Amino acid sequence: DEDMGGAGVDEEEETVAGQWAEQDDDDDASPRGKEQEEPYDGVVSAGPVVCLLIGMAGSGKSTLFHRLNYDATEAPGAKRKRCYFINLDPAALEVPVDAHIDIRDTVDYKGVMREYRLGPNGAIVTALNLFATQFEDVMQILEKRAKEFDYVVVDTPGQIEAFTWSASGQLIAETLASTFATCVVYVVDTPRSRSPSTFMSNMVYACSILHKYGLPLVAAFNKADVADPSQDVFKWMDDFEAFHEALDAVEDSPDASYVTSLHRSMSLVLDEFYRVLHKCAVSAATGSGVDDLWRRLDAARDEYDRAYGCRVRRKIAETRQKRAADVDHHMARLRVDLDNDDAAKTTTSTTTAPASSGRGRRLPGVDEEEEDSDDDGDVESDGLAANFRHSKPPTVRASGAPRSPSK
């Protein structure tokens, strides 16, 4: 039975792999696959590279944040980096970095809990929402000092879902990415990821972040001084068969048949994801591999310009063209309306008889004699008005009294 089950799994793997290979060939041959590739316009983004540090609780994200700050402030000579640090974790009691912008200076985390009667996670999300309403001020500061720094490092809350799946987190990420070259650094706990099931959970979450934000993603496998990811984790990412062997070696639970089959299928699905994923082994405690992380951030700028930045510039151009077309359309309608008004006025003036062409149309119930009498009265009043207009003004004597008119 075990031999038959193993043969069934192998046949399933070959079937899934064949289906994915056929789908890749169809995508390459179809015009739709070619349309999805954005043509690079050659524009290089200016300003610093923004790095969003995201990771599970306990992955060493804040320690890595401190290590990057050390390279920016205390590293010797040429290794020193020009960095700008932003802390977005409102629940941190102590931050080992003197951040340039700290959310705790703007929002009181415990005050939010008391005022809105929220729990810890709800208070973090609410604090991020309140801070996001003032993020325009942060962007003005970054744009003003863009030439002074090469990197902007942003530390996010330890509760990863509070930032990645909240509206404020997406708003902050998209606002930064609309102006600067932005990438996401996903910090992975390497010792815990040596388990195939935990490794697969981390990679699925990293893939979801990539699909949600669409930004260049760098997987930083932290704590490399405790467990070297190149010995097993990196091999699993480069060869799915090595991952299958690790599954066969550790999966011995009663539900192993279903879980193992699911993990095998997921490894085949994520094989394409591993090809576009930047990975590096770092140790925030010792500083090993941090130089490789800086190089990954520099490479992320080129990927941003070719993918995300190119899409942003294309959407901006399309929006401007649409607005210009709307303006032209409204102006054309305005010209048509003005022409119609002029034509209506011309038609009205031609159909109405002028006053000097003769007597107008007689009103009903009015006799000709009454009209003649009215006309005579008008003539007499017009004559008096004409005499008054053409009469000379009275002369003034030397004494200033006017001469009395003659009888």
Side-chain angles (χ1 to χ4, degrees), residues 49 77 108 120 126 131 139 161 185 187 208 218 269-270 273 282 337 360 389 397 401:
V49 177
D108 183 11
T126 304
F131 187 77
M139 293 301 300
E161 68 279 357
V185 176
V187 184
S208 66
V218 180
V269 172
L270 295 178
F273 166 68
V282 298
D337 294 340
R389 285 196 300 268
R397 295 182 179 180

Side-chain angles (χ1 to χ4, degrees), residues 101 128-144 171-172 175-176 179-180:
I101 297 177
L128 284 174
N129 293 338
L130 295 174
F131 187 77
T133 59
Q134 305 296 328
F135 201 74
E136 182 180 357
D137 299 335
V138 177
M139 293 301 300
Q140 292 178 358
I141 296 174
L142 294 179
E143 292 175 358
K144 183 178 179 180
L171 176 64
I172 291 173
T175 303
L176 290 169
T179 306
F180 304 106

